[in-house]
Amino acid sequence: MCIDFADLNKACPKDDFPLTRIDKVVDDVANSQLMSLLDCLSVYHQIWIREEDEEKTSFSTPFGTYCFVRMPEGQKNVGQSFSRMSTVVLDPQLRRNVLAYVDDIVVSSTVRQNHVADLAETFANLRKANLSLNPEKCLFGVHKGKVLGCLVSTKGNEANPDKVKALSNMEEQKSIRDV
């Protein structure tokens, strides 16, 4: 289902909640002994809309008029809303053994033996907030993985082959016109 929230988005004030800097997350994850990459399931649909705001998301169908009770995609401030929620939920762990960017959560352990306990703490915090993970997109106890499009390992940051493939496969330009 596709709803156009253009008019609602124009009327909504911008949420100035700052998103975490991607380069900071990637740099902080590098050099951990072990990491788990978690992805939240149906991110925005896990956020309840205040009852007084539900009617603002209304839409009509041949079967009647309906409104969302949970945040739909396409609204102006959904990324900031989920970031704020994940910051509140994971606050005891943030910058200690968890990094989060919107719906991507990285549990990074500087001591390998602590990783299971770090994961248990994360799962407890997520469970307390009724947040679900997408098991098909989660990786547990890895030394290397893609974090926000960057390849990160226990040895540091590496070039992501998928991202540089276009450059390495680029043909040499033969004329000024080709350039």
Side-chain angles (χ1 to χ4, degrees):
M1 180 169 49
C2 189
I3 310 283
D4 182 8
F5 290 112
D7 292 335
L8 177 60
N9 287 339
K10 286 178 191 172
C12 283
K14 182 173 176 5
D15 183 350
D16 289 328
F17 186 81
L19 295 177
T20 308
R21 289 181 39 178
I22 292 174
D23 61 322
K24 180 82 171 121
V25 172
V26 171
D27 288 345
D28 287 351
V29 170
N31 302 319
S32 61
Q33 289 291 310
L34 216 49
M35 61 184 153
S36 290
L37 312 175
L38 312 178
D39 188 79
C40 291
L41 179 68
S42 301
V43 178
Y44 308 129
H45 299 299
Q46 295 193 53
I47 302 172
W48 290 93
I49 296 177
R50 278 187 261 152
E51 197 170 333
E52 63 268 19
D53 292 332
E54 289 175 3
E55 68 182 36
K56 296 171 185 163
T57 67
S58 63
F59 58 96
S60 297
T61 72
F63 313 105
T65 302
Y66 301 92
C67 62
F68 286 92
V69 294
R70 293 183 184 228
M71 189 82 70
E73 286 191 50
Q75 286 190 316
K76 184 177 190 174
N77 295 313
V78 292
Q80 288 86 346
S81 296
F82 197 84
S83 287
R84 178 180 285 108
M85 184 173 69
S86 62
T87 298
V88 169
V89 169
L90 298 169
D91 184 59
Q93 293 180 267
L94 284 177
R95 293 164 303 283
R96 178 171 49 87
N97 60 4
V98 165
L99 298 152
Y101 184 84
V102 188
D103 67 327
D104 293 313
I105 299 167
V106 181
V107 180
S108 64
S109 303
T110 54
V111 178
R112 182 184 181 94
Q113 291 80 3
N114 294 347
H115 196 65
V116 171
D118 293 341
L119 279 170
E121 182 182 9
T122 304
F123 292 152
N125 287 327
L126 293 171
R127 192 174 299 115
K128 194 174 3 173
N130 281 331
L131 292 179
S132 301
L133 297 174
N134 184 350
E136 294 175 10
K137 290 187 173 181
C138 293
L139 288 172
F140 298 98
V142 296
H143 298 280
K144 180 189 277 189
K146 290 181 186 172
V147 177
L148 303 172
C150 300
L151 197 57
V152 179
S153 73
T154 55
K155 297 175 183 162
N157 300 335
E158 300 176 23
N160 183 344
D162 296 338
K163 300 290 181 183
V164 296
K165 191 184 304 180
L167 291 174
S168 60
N169 293 340
M170 187 182 296
E171 292 183 24
E172 184 178 335
Q173 306 300 313
K174 304 284 187 220
S175 69
I176 292 176
R177 184 180 184 107
D178 290 343
V179 173

